[in-house]
Amino acid sequence: MKDEKMRQQDVILRQLAQKVTDLIEPVTPYLVIGSKKAAEEARKKAGPEVWAVKKKLWEKLCSKERPELKEAAGDMVIAPSDPEVKQILFREILKSFEKDPYLEKEISSFIETEAIKKLVTEERPDGTSVQNSNDKARVFEEFNELLEKLIVIKSCVSSISAGSAINADSNTRNSEPSECGQEKEEILEKALDFACQIQYGDLRSQALSLVVPYLEGSKKGEYIKKVLYSASNIHDDAERARVFASLAPHLKGPGKGELIEDIFDFSPHIQYDDAKFQIFSSIVPHLGNIVNEVLLVKALEMAAGIQSEFLRVQAFSMLIPCLKGQRKKEIIEGALQLASSLKDKNVRPQALLFIVPHVGEARKKEILGKSFEIASGIKSEYRRS
C-alpha cells in the first residue's frame, strides 16, 4: 500500500514537472537572458499576459539558489529544440520538486488557477499566443504587394532579355535591360528585408519561402545568408524547415559548391543549435560525390561546432558516407565515444543507432548489444524507482 502511494506520488510529480517544462520551454531563452530586449521579444512572441505568467512561474522556480536548474535552462538557449537538453531541464525541475515539497505545492497551485488555465489554452501549439489576426493580415498584404511587383518586374526582365516585351507596360517597353535589372534588384531587396523583419514566426516563414525562389544575381550568396539568419531565429521547427526546404533548388547545378562553402562559413553566426543542425542536414544531401577537401573540412567544422552532443553525433553520422580512409574511422570512433557518454543516458541508445549503418557486421552487433544493454538498464532503473 505504501509502495503504491509512493508510485502515485512519483507519477504526480513527473506530470507536474513535465507540465512546467512544456510551459516554460518556448520562452526559456528569454527567461535565461533576462534583459529588457529579451523581455520585449518575449512579449511579442508569447503575448504580454502569457509572458507575465511564465516569467512569474520561472521566478517561483528560481526563488532559491538552484544552479543545476539554471544551467539546464541555459543549455536551452543554445539548443531550444534538442530532446536531450529538454529532458535534462525536465529532470532538474523534477529534482527541485523532490527536494522541496513546498515548492511543488506552490507551483501546482499556481498553474491550476483558472486564470492560468485560460491563458494556457489560448496558446498555439508552438508556445506562442494567439496574435492579432487583423495585424497579421495587414503585414501579409504589404508583403504580397512587394512580391507581386517582384513577379511583374522579373517577367519584364525576362521578356526584354528574350527580345520581347509583350507583357510589359509601355514604360517598361522603352526601358533598357540594365534599368529593369536594377529595379528588380531593388524590389527584391525590399521584399527580402520586409520578410526578414516580420515578427510573427509563421508569417515570416511563409514570406521567406515565397521570396527565396527569386534570389539570384551577383548578391545571391548574400541574400541566402540573410534568409538563413532570419529563419534560424524562428522558434518553431516546422516553420524553420519550410524555409530551409525552399532553399534546396539553389543547392543544385552550377555554382552549388561555392554557395555551400559560403553557408558553411556563415554557420558560426547561427545562434541556435537546432537551427544550425537543420541547415546542416539540408546541405549534406547535396554534397553528393563532391570530392572537395575544402568543403569536407568546413562540413566537419560545422558539425563539430554544434554544441548539443546528441545533435553533433547525428551530424557526424550524416557526414560519414562522404568520408574515406583514416578520417572516416576517426569520425566513427569519435561519434561512438560521444554517443556512449551523453549526459542523458536515456538517449544514448538512439545516438548509437545513428552510427550503426556505417560499420561492419561485427562492430554492428557490438553496438546493437551495447544499445540493448543501456536500454535494459534504463528500464530496470525506472522499475526500481
Side-chain angles (χ1 to χ4, degrees):
M1 186 72 177
K2 187 177 179 181
D3 288 345
E4 180 63 29
K5 188 175 180 180
M6 287 179 67
R7 275 195 290 270
Q8 288 177 353
Q9 181 62 22
D10 182 60
V11 169
I12 292 169
L13 277 180
R14 284 177 174 275
Q15 287 175 342
L16 179 61
Q18 189 62 61
K19 188 179 290 187
V20 171
T21 304
D22 291 340
L23 274 171
I24 67 170
E25 180 199 1
V27 295
T28 300
Y30 305 107
L31 292 167
V32 172
I33 294 169
S35 66
K36 287 183 179 179
K37 187 175 180 181
E40 287 173 8
E41 288 297 317
R43 286 190 197 96
K44 290 177 185 176
K45 177 181 176 57
E49 290 183 328
V50 173
W51 165 245
V53 165
K54 295 188 177 187
K55 185 171 181 288
K56 191 170 182 179
L57 177 59
W58 175 248
E59 288 169 352
K60 287 179 180 293
L61 281 173
C62 299
S63 57
K64 292 183 180 178
E65 190 60 30
R66 294 185 173 89
E68 294 85 0
L69 173 59
K70 290 182 178 179
E71 183 183 348
D75 289 340
M76 289 288 290
V77 177
I78 299 170
S81 296
D82 184 344
E84 179 194 359
V85 172
K86 184 178 177 181
Q87 185 66 14
I88 292 171
L89 178 62
F90 160 76
R91 288 178 180 280
E92 290 303 328
I93 292 173
L94 179 61
K95 284 180 187 176
S96 297
F97 292 158
E98 289 172 341
K99 291 178 182 178
D100 189 346
Y102 176 79
L103 175 68
E104 178 257 320
K105 289 178 182 178
E106 184 182 17
I107 297 292
S108 179
S109 298
F110 177 73
I111 65 176
E112 288 302 317
T113 60
E114 287 302 316
I116 305 305
K117 284 182 178 179
K118 183 176 183 294
L119 283 175
V120 171
T121 54
E122 288 177 353
E123 280 193 293
R124 292 174 13 169
D126 66 354
T128 60
S129 60
V130 177
Q131 302 281 3
N132 186 310
S133 57
N134 291 331
D135 187 47
K136 291 182 78 171
R138 177 190 58 77
V139 169
F140 199 59
E141 187 178 338
E142 286 183 37
F143 171 75
N144 270 334
E145 287 177 7
L146 285 170
L147 188 64
E148 285 171 9
K149 287 180 183 178
L150 179 60
I151 293 169
V152 169
I153 195 67
K154 178 176 168 54
S155 174
C156 292
V157 171
S158 300
S159 297
I160 292 172
S161 298
S164 170
I166 297 172
N167 296 321
D169 58 36
S170 57
N171 291 330
T172 307
R173 266 199 294 272
N174 297 323
S175 299
E176 292 295 326
S178 59
E179 292 176 355
C180 282
Q182 185 178 352
E183 186 179 355
K184 176 191 164 190
E185 188 174 291
E186 289 173 0
I187 294 174
L188 172 58
E189 289 182 1
K190 282 182 181 178
L192 179 56
D193 287 342
F194 189 93
C196 289
Q197 291 168 16
I198 293 175
Q199 295 296 321
Y200 311 106
D202 56 340
L203 205 55
R204 190 194 310 173
S205 169
Q206 190 176 353
L208 287 172
S209 302
L210 288 170
V211 81
V212 159
Y214 299 96
L215 303 181
E216 54 189 26
S218 59
K219 294 184 179 179
K220 179 178 176 180
E222 182 185 325
Y223 295 151
I224 288 178
K225 288 177 186 177
K226 188 176 285 189
V227 169
L228 289 173
Y229 185 78
S230 180
S232 71
N233 289 298
I234 296 173
H235 182 77
D236 186 80
D237 283 353
E239 288 166 3
R240 278 200 311 267
R242 179 201 290 181
V243 181
F244 297 150
S246 70
L247 286 166
H250 291 290
L251 301 175
K252 300 173 182 177
K256 77 170 185 177
E258 184 179 348
L259 180 57
I260 289 173
E261 187 176 344
D262 282 346
I263 295 173
F264 282 146
D265 287 338
F266 184 68
S267 66
H269 297 285
I270 304 300
Q271 182 180 2
Y272 300 115
D273 253 14
D274 46 354
K276 188 178 290 188
F277 175 75
Q278 277 184 312
I279 294 170
F280 180 86
S281 60
S282 67
I283 294 174
V284 171
H286 298 285
L287 289 176
N289 296 318
I290 293 179
V291 183
N292 185 321
E293 179 65 16
V294 173
L295 276 185
L296 286 178
V297 169
K298 289 181 183 291
L300 287 167
E301 287 175 352
M302 184 172 180
I306 295 173
Q307 296 299 309
S308 161
E309 295 180 341
F310 179 80
L311 293 179
R312 200 188 313 158
V313 171
Q314 196 172 354
F316 279 132
S317 72
M318 295 173 70
L319 266 183
I320 290 171
C322 302
L323 306 175
K324 294 179 181 178
Q326 185 61 28
R327 176 186 278 163
K328 183 175 183 178
K329 290 179 182 177
E330 289 174 359
I331 293 298
I332 288 175
E333 291 306 314
L336 285 172
Q337 186 176 351
L338 190 60
S340 301
S341 58
L342 291 174
K343 286 182 184 178
D344 185 0
K345 59 187 175 184
N346 291 325
V347 298
R348 287 179 192 170
Q350 185 182 353
L352 286 167
L353 291 177
F354 291 142
I355 317 299
V356 167
H358 309 295
V359 299
E361 286 302 316
R363 197 70 193 279
K364 191 176 290 186
K365 288 181 181 178
E366 178 190 337
I367 296 170
L368 289 172
K370 188 172 184 178
S371 298
F372 180 75
E373 183 182 338
I374 294 171
S376 299
I378 293 168
K379 191 174 181 180
S380 300
E381 188 177 304
Y382 179 73
R383 282 176 176 171
R384 284 198 298 274
S385 65

